Amino acid sequence: MDEAQVVVGYKTYLELIEPLLTGQDVVASGMKAEVKRCGLAIDRARAGARVALVSSGDAGIYGMAGLVLEICAARGLQVAPPGDERSVDFYFQVIPGVPALAAGAALLGAPLMHDFACISLSDLLTPWETIARRLELAAQGDFVIVLYNPKSKKRHWQLEAVRDLLLRIRSPQTPVGIVRRAMRAGEATVIASLQDLLDYPVDMQTVIFVGNSQTFAYGDYMITPRGYLAKYRVGEEMPMEAGRRSSDA
Amino acid sequence: MDEAQVVVGYKTYLELIEPLLTGQDVVASGMKAEVKRCGLAIDRARAGARVALVSSGDAGIYGMAGLVLEICAARGLQVAPPGDERSVDFYFQVIPGVPALAAGAALLGAPLMHDFACISLSDLLTPWETIARRLELAAQGDFVIVLYNPKSKKRHWQLEAVRDLLLRIRSPQTPVGIVRRAMRAGEATVIASLQDLLDYPVDMQTVIFVGNSQTFAYGDYMITPRGYLAKYRVGEEMPMEAGRRSSDA
């Protein structure tokens, strides 16, 4: 952040990183101004400034990285990573972070030890039919399912539809982890079951983890087994040399 | 890391964090000794030590977090987050990191702007039929597909099977990003197409990103559009007020 001359972002996120700012030119914009915000960051970069565009969690997962590149492609702007020797309009780099799915999973214990599908429930840019079809296929494949953007102030019916759709394929007792504001003020974590999914507060800053058929709750944790213990038949006693008997990973 | 008294991990990962070690008791173990390694970390924690179990990328995504909790559940050990007031065998916390899918996505540009499925090709603990079925369902759902553990020294035929399976559903020109050793010495990134997937070196430290039907390559970047530009019809000229016209996210 110290290297940036201009910092652009959604105002809520800029407030979160305020302690990191060291006198940069800060450009805050409101929600739903994504295209404008990215265009502005691009314009400042083209004009020669070192610009940091701030996105939440990880800019590369449902974040602003793609929109910047999409706008570059639409405008025919040439971009390349810093250090590249070609002549470009500006240098561009995505700095990965801890995505909400990783922060939420950490708070829940270990829901993502096996294959998972990550699905946004926002139907602003994606038809609901596409979202519903993906949910159904993910459930059929016994993926752990991570739900981004489960609900907003104006969008409230989807989560019930998701529950009903998943209940046709998964057990009502399937563990469901609900994580609000992971690693931020107001953090709250609940492990519920699929049938009780609607009993807990959920908003745009919530990520929901629906277990696969093997996921179980243990104390305050949600665990999706990878299969080590079943394979090595580990129970009360630990086979200390189990690893050496295994074949290749 | 400073707070740990004992550091346990796979030896390759311990080498990576060597500069962070400050005199801790270090216990390195080899590959495939996962059960032993986690059991050892648990035993040291029960004996009262502050133990850090090191996993690669993110311990919560195909990492060691789950195995520790599974062993606790199998042994009936009580664990809770630090600060919890219940009497437990030891306190346990998963510290999230930058998962390989986020590090790889950042190097490729923006492949994960839309729904994705993450699938490990390792059939050591999962039957190949399950893996193949998940691949097929993910392809049918037009998910971006992230492949972990695509190949190992002893396991080499899966990637060809994956290519053939996906080619029955997706275009041969589908962009595929291949990232080896993201953010480490030896890092290499290639954007290929699905039909050319087998032409590039791939190993256990490689993550592969198969685009969805909308993903495109632009310069050295791989972009999966979220849909903003299509919705707001942004092209050469930027509608600076586009965001205000949008409905709720």
Side-chain angles (χ1 to χ4, degrees):
Chain A
M1 193 59 75
D2 280 348
E3 292 169 33
Q5 296 162 323
V6 180
V7 178
V8 181
Y10 173 44
K11 59 184 185 313
T12 306
Y13 300 145
L14 292 176
E15 285 162 17
L16 290 174
I17 62 159
E18 227 239 306
L20 301 176
L21 298 176
T22 51
Q24 289 92 345
D25 184 5
V26 175
V27 185
S29 64
M31 210 170 136
K32 305 176 213 162
E34 293 89 355
V35 176
K36 179 179 176 182
R37 193 185 308 145
C38 291
L40 197 147
I42 289 170
D43 291 340
R44 297 294 294 263
R46 290 187 73 187
R50 285 196 301 274
V51 180
L53 175 63
V54 176
S55 195
S56 77
D58 187 305
I61 296 184
Y62 300 114
M64 290 295 108
L67 186 50
V68 169
L69 287 172
E70 274 191 83
I71 294 171
C72 290
R75 290 194 192 175
L77 298 175
Q78 301 303 313
V79 286
D84 195 284
E85 302 202 342
R86 286 168 292 183
S87 168
V88 292
D89 288 287
F90 61 91
Y91 293 108
F92 175 78
Q93 179 177 28
V94 180
I95 298 174
V98 176
L101 66 91
L107 291 170
L108 291 169
L112 301 183
M113 291 296 109
H114 219 303
D115 303 333
F116 61 94
C118 189
I119 300 173
S120 167
L121 297 190
S122 172
D123 60 353
L124 173 61
L125 301 171
T126 306
W128 176 252
E129 293 67 32
T130 302
I131 298 170
R133 178 167 158 76
R134 286 179 178 163
L135 284 163
E136 190 158 347
L137 292 165
Q140 286 171 6
D142 203 23
F143 285 95
V144 177
I145 301 175
V146 183
L147 302 173
Y148 271 64
N149 307 319
K151 196 177 192 176
S152 74
K153 281 177 191 162
K154 293 186 191 167
R155 189 167 54 70
H156 46 74
W157 58 267
Q158 281 89 350
L159 202 55
E160 186 172 348
V162 169
R163 184 202 58 177
D164 294 345
L165 187 158
L166 294 179
L167 278 175
R168 291 203 295 273
I169 303 174
R170 295 225 175 142
S171 159
Q173 279 76 45
T174 304
V176 170
I178 303 169
V179 182
R180 291 176 74 194
R181 302 177 183 238
M183 319 266 164
R184 291 188 201 167
E187 175 185 294
T189 302
V190 170
I191 297 178
S193 63
L194 183 53
Q195 64 189 349
D196 301 329
L197 173 58
L198 303 182
D199 297 351
Y200 301 90
V202 161
D203 60 18
M204 280 295 277
Q205 296 188 63
T206 303
V207 177
I208 297 175
F209 297 73
V210 180
N212 70 14
S213 62
Q214 305 302 307
T215 304
F216 62 101
Y218 181 71
D220 292 341
Y221 299 99
M222 180 172 169
I223 307 171
T224 301
R226 180 79 186 274
Y228 291 108
L229 296 202
K231 185 171 178 89
Y232 303 126
R233 294 188 187 80
V234 178
E236 297 302 313
E237 279 184 79
M238 298 294 302
M240 294 302 282
E241 298 301 311
R244 299 207 184 143
R245 291 205 305 271
S246 80
S247 67
D248 190 35
Chain B
M1 193 58 75
D2 281 348
E3 293 170 33
Q5 296 163 324
V6 180
V7 178
V8 181
Y10 173 44
K11 58 184 187 312
T12 306
Y13 301 144
L14 291 176
E15 285 161 17
L16 291 173
I17 61 159
E18 227 238 306
L20 301 176
L21 298 176
T22 52
Q24 288 91 347
D25 183 4
V26 175
V27 185
S29 64
M31 209 170 136
K32 305 176 214 162
E34 293 89 356
V35 177
K36 180 178 174 181
R37 193 186 307 145
C38 292
L40 197 146
I42 289 170
D43 291 340
R44 296 295 294 264
R46 290 187 75 188
R50 284 196 301 274
V51 181
L53 175 62
V54 177
S55 195
S56 76
D58 187 305
I61 296 183
Y62 300 114
M64 290 295 107
L67 187 50
V68 169
L69 287 172
E70 274 191 83
I71 294 171
C72 289
R75 291 194 192 176
L77 297 176
Q78 301 303 313
V79 287
D84 195 283
E85 302 203 342
R86 286 167 293 183
S87 167
V88 292
D89 288 289
F90 60 92
Y91 293 108
F92 175 78
Q93 178 178 28
V94 180
I95 298 173
V98 176
L101 66 91
L107 292 170
L108 291 168
L112 301 184
M113 291 295 111
H114 219 303
D115 303 332
F116 61 95
C118 189
I119 300 173
S120 167
L121 297 190
S122 172
D123 60 353
L124 173 61
L125 300 171
T126 306
W128 176 251
E129 293 68 32
T130 302
I131 299 170
R133 177 166 159 76
R134 286 179 178 161
L135 284 163
E136 190 158 346
L137 292 165
Q140 285 171 6
D142 202 23
F143 285 94
V144 176
I145 300 175
V146 183
L147 302 172
Y148 270 64
N149 306 319
K151 196 177 192 176
S152 74
K153 281 177 191 161
K154 293 185 188 165
R155 190 168 52 71
H156 45 75
W157 58 267
Q158 282 90 348
L159 203 54
E160 186 171 348
V162 170
R163 183 201 58 177
D164 294 346
L165 187 158
L166 294 179
L167 278 175
R168 291 203 295 274
I169 302 174
R170 294 226 174 142
S171 159
Q173 278 77 46
T174 303
V176 170
I178 303 168
V179 182
R180 291 175 73 193
R181 301 178 183 236
M183 318 267 164
R184 290 187 202 167
E187 174 185 295
T189 302
V190 169
I191 297 178
S193 63
L194 183 54
Q195 64 189 348
D196 301 329
L197 173 57
L198 304 182
D199 298 351
Y200 301 89
V202 161
D203 59 20
M204 279 295 277
Q205 296 188 63
T206 302
V207 177
I208 297 175
F209 297 73
V210 181
N212 69 15
S213 62
Q214 306 301 307
T215 304
F216 62 99
Y218 181 72
D220 293 340
Y221 299 100
M222 179 172 170
I223 307 170
T224 301
R226 181 78 186 275
Y228 292 107
L229 296 201
K231 185 170 178 89
Y232 303 126
R233 294 188 188 77
V234 177
E236 297 302 314
E237 278 184 80
M238 298 294 303
M240 295 301 281
E241 298 302 311
R244 298 206 187 144
R245 289 204 306 269
S246 80
S247 67
D248 189 33

